[in-house]
Amino acid sequence: MAQEIERKFLVSDPAIVDTLAGERLTQGYLSHEHNATVRIRTAGHSAWLTIKGKTVGATRSEFEYPIPLDDGRQMLA
C-alpha cells in the first residue's frame, strides 16, 4: 500500500510548460465519498483503477491497479 501526500504548486509563469511534451489523460470518478475515492484513468494504451482512502493529516492510502484498456473505457462511458 502506498501513501499519497497531496502537494499543489502555483506556476508563476505559465509559459514554462509551453515547451514540455505531454500525454493526454482521461479520468473519471466512480465514487467520491468522505472515506474513499475510486477513479479510472486512461492514457495511451493503458488504464488504471485507483482507490484512495480517507485523508488523515496530509496523507492518505492509495491503491492503484492496471486494468484492461477496454474495461477502463467502458467504465468511463
Side-chain angles (χ1 to χ4, degrees):
M1 167 183 65
Q3 290 290 314
E4 175 188 60
I5 300 174
E6 185 80 30
R7 293 192 173 105
K8 297 179 183 179
F9 301 91
L10 179 61
V11 177
S12 60
D13 181 5
I16 292 171
V17 299
D18 288 345
T19 61
L20 300 176
E23 180 178 23
R24 177 174 287 283
L25 299 175
T26 303
Q27 71 177 21
Y29 292 86
L30 303 181
S31 174
H32 187 62
E33 300 294 328
H34 180 68
N35 290 322
T37 299
V38 180
R39 175 185 74 205
I40 300 296
R41 181 178 279 171
T42 65
H45 299 290
S46 302
W48 302 269
L49 168 71
T50 305
I51 304 166
K52 297 184 179 195
K54 182 179 179 180
T55 301
V56 178
T59 65
R60 63 182 171 174
S61 57
E62 179 177 290
F63 304 87
E64 188 167 75
Y65 305 98
I67 61 172
L69 179 59
D70 287 341
D71 291 356
R73 287 178 175 159
Q74 186 174 0
M75 285 186 262
L76 288 172

